[in-house]
């Protein structure tokens, strides 16, 4: 098996020469030959330990004419095979540099049923959760990894998925079924609605009496039991602004929205200044948003 990326790498005219610990060495009892002809000297005990597929392969009787060190022809290219072996081999370090390379490695790990190596592959995937959540979600869908899908969906909340609906389909989502994509969009939408509701209706908020007696212009804000409180206009405007942002990007950092900085510079009366707005933005509101979003489940 070789993917387009490994084909590009493997078509390099310079032959790939395996290095330690896969160079020719005493003690190796098997040669894995890549599709482009590179020989990897390996120990079948190690391969059998991580892969029932290789274990079965090694248990098959060898022909009498077999060479002293039997070789096995594989469909994987040398670059991919090298990365896969370095993923679990003693005295080797994983050398995966991109998500695409990691994707190739995972494909081979799954092909040879190397389940004991999958947790490490998932750890490597974590590096891409925040930068490529859709690609990670696609991988999770392909292998039915719910834990990875949930983490990727959560990271997608830091992106404006709704806005992307107007653009071409993201290439990272290639191979994802319509149902799986729908589930992701639905999760994103529901989290956006939860975040909107959290900021539009302060049912969870312990209203500070200092705001009741403040001398600023007031406007109604929905509070507990669907009743309204008269909030200072600057505070209401902040809530409206952050609500708009969170509806589109539910994972937004409310400390970094433009509306936060605008609010900081607005005139406030002495009473207002006694209300710890910074604490509201940096602690109370983020904590409540987390509670609300934590309750929403991704269908998978
Ligand atoms: Zn005031």
């Amino acid at each position: 098996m070789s993917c387009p990326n490994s084909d590009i790498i493997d078509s390099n005219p310079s032959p790939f020469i395996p290095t330690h610990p896969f160079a020719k060495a005493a003690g190796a009892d098997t040669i894995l030959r890549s599709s482009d002809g590179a020989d990897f000297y390996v120990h079948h005990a190690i391969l059998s330990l991580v892969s029932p597929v290789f274990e079965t392969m090694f248990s098959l009787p060898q022909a009498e004419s077999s060479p002293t060190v039997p070789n096995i022809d594989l469909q994987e290219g040398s670059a991919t095979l090298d990365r896969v072996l370095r993923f679990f081999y003693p005295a080797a370090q994983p050398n995966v540099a991109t998500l695409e390379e990691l994707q190739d490695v995972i494909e081979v790990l799954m092909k040879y049923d190397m389940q004991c190596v999958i947790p490490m592959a998932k750890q490597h995937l974590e590096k891409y959760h925040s930068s490529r959540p859709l690609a990670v979600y696609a991988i999770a869908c392909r292998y039915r990894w719910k834990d990875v899908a949930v983490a990727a969906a959560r990271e997608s909340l830091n992106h404006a998925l709704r806005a992307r609906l107007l653009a071409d389909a993201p290439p990272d989502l290639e191979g994802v079924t319509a149902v799986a994509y729908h589930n992701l969009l639905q999760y994103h939408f529901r989290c956006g609605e939860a975040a909107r509701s959290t900021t539009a209706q302060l049912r969870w908020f312990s209203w500070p009496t200092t705001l009741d007696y403040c001398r600023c212009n007031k406007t109604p804000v929905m509070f507990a039991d669907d009743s309204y409180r008269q909030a200072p206009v600057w505070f209401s405007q902040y809530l409206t602004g952050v609500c708009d942002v969170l509806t589109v990007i539910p994972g937004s950092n409310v400390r970094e929205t433009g509306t936060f900085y605008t609010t900081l510079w607005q005139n406030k009366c002495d009473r207002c200044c006694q209300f710890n707005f910074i604490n509201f933005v940096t602690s109370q509101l983020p904590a409540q948003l987390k509670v609300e979003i934590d309750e929403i489940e991704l269908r998978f």
Side-chain angles (χ1 to χ4, degrees):
M1 182 180 304
S2 63
C3 76
N5 283 326
S6 62
D7 286 344
I8 292 167
I9 295 165
D10 294 345
S11 64
N12 191 322
S14 310
F16 187 98
I17 301 173
T19 56
H20 180 80
F22 311 117
K24 187 172 185 178
D29 49 19
T30 303
I31 295 171
L32 298 182
R33 183 161 293 157
S34 66
S35 59
D36 49 340
D39 286 347
F40 292 75
Y41 286 76
V42 295
H43 302 77
H44 78 228
I46 296 172
L47 292 173
S48 297
L49 195 66
V50 299
S51 164
V53 175
F54 275 111
E55 187 179 23
T56 304
M57 215 183 289
F58 294 137
S59 68
L60 298 173
Q62 298 291 317
E64 286 186 8
S65 58
S66 296
T68 321
V69 181
N71 59 54
I72 299 173
D73 291 326
L74 300 181
Q75 294 174 309
E76 287 71 34
S78 52
T80 299
L81 186 56
D82 188 66
R83 287 189 200 100
V84 170
L85 292 172
R86 289 185 186 282
F87 224 70
F88 59 82
Y89 222 81
Q93 289 289 324
N95 63 345
V96 177
T98 66
L99 181 56
E100 284 67 29
E101 290 180 0
L102 181 58
Q103 216 165 338
D104 293 345
V105 168
I106 291 173
E107 194 172 330
V108 179
L109 296 179
M110 296 299 285
K111 175 182 174 184
Y112 292 102
D113 198 16
M114 298 177 174
Q115 292 299 330
C116 63
V117 191
I118 295 303
M120 193 162 72
K122 288 182 179 180
Q123 275 183 6
H124 279 257
L125 260 184
E126 285 176 13
K127 285 188 287 191
Y128 302 98
H129 281 189
S130 59
S131 59
R132 305 271 303 274
L134 297 185
V136 174
Y137 182 75
I139 293 171
C141 290
R142 181 185 299 177
Y143 301 114
R144 303 302 302 159
W145 292 344
K146 183 171 182 178
D147 54 341
V148 177
V150 167
R154 188 71 183 231
E155 286 294 340
S156 79
L157 300 181
N158 298 317
H159 301 261
L161 291 197
R162 295 184 200 193
R164 291 190 184 186
L165 290 173
L166 296 174
D168 292 339
D172 280 352
L173 279 171
E174 202 166 320
V176 173
T177 66
V179 171
Y181 188 39
H182 174 86
N183 288 341
L184 177 66
L185 289 179
Q186 183 189 64
Y187 171 79
H188 197 279
F189 178 82
R190 292 178 65 206
C191 290
E193 286 301 295
R196 186 193 60 75
S197 169
T198 301
T199 45
Q201 303 171 17
L202 300 181
R203 292 190 172 94
W204 52 275
F205 182 50
S206 179
W207 190 264
T209 53
T210 184
L211 291 183
D212 284 332
Y213 300 106
C214 117
R215 294 187 294 276
C216 297
N217 290 333
K218 299 290 184 62
T219 188
V221 169
M222 188 175 277
F223 194 57
D225 304 325
D226 294 336
S227 62
Y228 286 86
R229 301 295 282 257
Q230 292 297 317
V233 168
W234 66 264
F235 187 47
S236 173
Q237 284 176 341
Y238 167 74
L239 293 173
T240 303
V242 82
C243 177
D244 291 344
V245 172
L246 289 169
T247 303
V248 179
I249 308 176
S252 295
N253 185 340
V254 294
R255 291 173 296 252
E256 294 176 1
T257 58
T259 186
F260 169 61
Y261 293 107
T262 307
T263 305
L264 282 183
W265 291 103
Q266 280 178 323
N267 284 331
K268 304 177 185 67
C269 70
D270 294 344
R271 292 276 186 181
C272 282
C273 290
Q274 292 171 30
F275 165 50
N276 194 339
F277 176 63
I278 298 293
N279 183 56
F280 175 82
V281 173
T282 58
S283 175
Q284 291 172 289
L285 179 56
Q288 187 62 28
L289 286 168
K290 182 177 183 311
V291 168
E292 301 290 343
I293 288 177
D294 280 351
E295 285 185 7
I296 296 171
E297 286 190 20
L298 170 75
R299 288 188 186 171
F300 193 74

